Amino acid sequence: MAFVSAGRKAPAFNLPGIDGKKFSLAQALAQGPLLAVFFKVSCPTCQFTFPFLERLHQQFLAAGVAGIQVWGISQDNLENTRHFARDWGVTFPLLLDEEPYEISQDYGLTHVPTLFLIAPDRRVEVSGDGFSKSDLLAIRKSLAQHYSAQPAELFRNGEHIPEFKPG
């Protein structure tokens, strides 16, 4: 299937979380936008990206946005994904898209990490793969506008962050 680029409708999905709960795109979007991030635990670019995703998540929570939705969608098994969450300090939900990676295929993934900011009408607002500073800033801006929130700056002074890191 072709890559789900910005402007297209996001394919529906239902996936189990590492906590045993069931997660569906429809239920998430009924509450607001969703940042869905596909990843593999062994991917160095994913490991580089996830602390910034966690920072984004925590900054919106600190700004009073209790309904912020960030989901990691793992292409690994339950045990390895749990270890990843612990090792990288991930507090937002992690879901499992194990082999044959049906949801990843529905979204047309060729690389990880791949990020999709999905609006409540299922339209993809931002999509991209690898670590992209500009994509993360666009996601932060869109979420801040949607929630009328003022989270802290995502990238801090003195941090040397590349503009792009391929996945």
Side-chain angles (χ1 to χ4, degrees):
M1 181 161 214
F3 181 71
V4 179
S5 56
R8 294 185 56 201
K9 290 278 187 186
F13 64 83
N14 295 289
L15 288 170
I18 64 171
D19 59 0
K21 294 178 184 174
K22 301 291 184 200
F23 292 82
S24 84
L25 180 63
Q27 288 175 331
L29 297 181
Q31 299 174 39
L34 169 68
L35 175 56
V37 184
F38 291 79
F39 73 101
K40 288 193 79 57
V41 301
S42 61
C43 161
T45 303
C46 299
Q47 295 166 3
F48 180 81
T49 303
F50 264 72
F52 294 105
L53 298 172
E54 180 63 28
R55 184 185 290 177
L56 178 82
H57 179 247
Q58 291 301 323
Q59 287 176 341
F60 274 92
L61 291 176
V65 180
I68 187 73
Q69 299 182 100
V70 179
W71 293 355
I73 301 175
S74 175
Q75 295 178 334
D76 291 280
N77 65 32
L78 176 62
E79 182 180 347
N80 290 342
T81 303
R82 282 187 175 152
H83 285 287
F84 182 89
R86 185 189 66 235
D87 292 348
W88 295 99
V90 178
T91 62
F92 52 81
L94 296 181
L95 289 53
L96 301 172
D97 184 26
E98 296 180 86
E99 281 191 67
Y101 313 118
E102 291 177 24
I103 306 308
S104 296
Q105 289 181 34
D106 287 348
Y107 277 75
L109 267 63
T110 57
H111 298 88
V112 288
T114 299
L115 295 82
F116 298 94
L117 179 59
I118 306 168
D121 65 359
R122 278 189 40 202
R123 184 181 46 80
V124 174
E125 287 187 18
V126 179
S127 65
D129 60 50
F131 172 87
S132 169
K133 198 173 182 182
S134 63
D135 284 350
L136 288 175
L137 290 172
I139 289 165
R140 179 188 172 279
K141 180 179 179 180
S142 178
L143 291 172
Q145 288 173 342
H146 177 82
Y147 290 110
S148 299
Q150 293 296 324
E153 291 298 321
L154 184 56
F155 302 110
R156 300 174 181 146
N157 287 335
E159 285 183 321
H160 299 288
I161 310 297
E163 291 298 321
F164 181 75
K165 188 175 172 83

